[in-house]
Amino acid sequence: MTFYWHDWAGYVGVALVLLAFFLLQAHKLRGNGLTYQLMNVLGALGVMLSLLFGHFNMPAFIMQVAWLIIGIFGMVRGVRVRREARESGHKTSAW
């Protein structure tokens, strides 16, 4: 079996999403943390690349687009919450 770059992108993407979820369940990451969100966004991008350049599957692609949008929403929301807390003088935890 021949593996192309987009196959590897998909495997790495799946690994990132699964690892993020495992680390969340193991209480090693916080769901609103930057690391968790980045792992999900980069994972979704990897799977999307494998779908776009490999064998396309519309339902899987739609799921990855949703995963990507939700992850970006989480990162933007985290930045906004931390900025508002900093401006109001409240202490916030790091990502």
Side-chain angles (χ1 to χ4, degrees), residues 25-74:
Q25 297 306 312
H27 300 283
K28 300 296 181 186
L29 292 177
R30 291 190 338 264
N32 62 349
L34 180 61
T35 302
Y36 179 74
Q37 298 299 343
L38 279 174
M39 289 176 77
N40 278 292
V41 166
L42 294 175
L45 283 172
V47 174
M48 287 171 66
L49 286 172
S50 76
L51 291 168
L52 286 171
F53 292 96
H55 298 288
F56 189 76
N57 179 323
M58 183 57 82
F61 186 78
I62 291 170
M63 182 175 172
Q64 296 310 311
V65 169
W67 209 259
L68 178 72
I69 291 169
I70 293 166
I72 291 170
F73 169 79

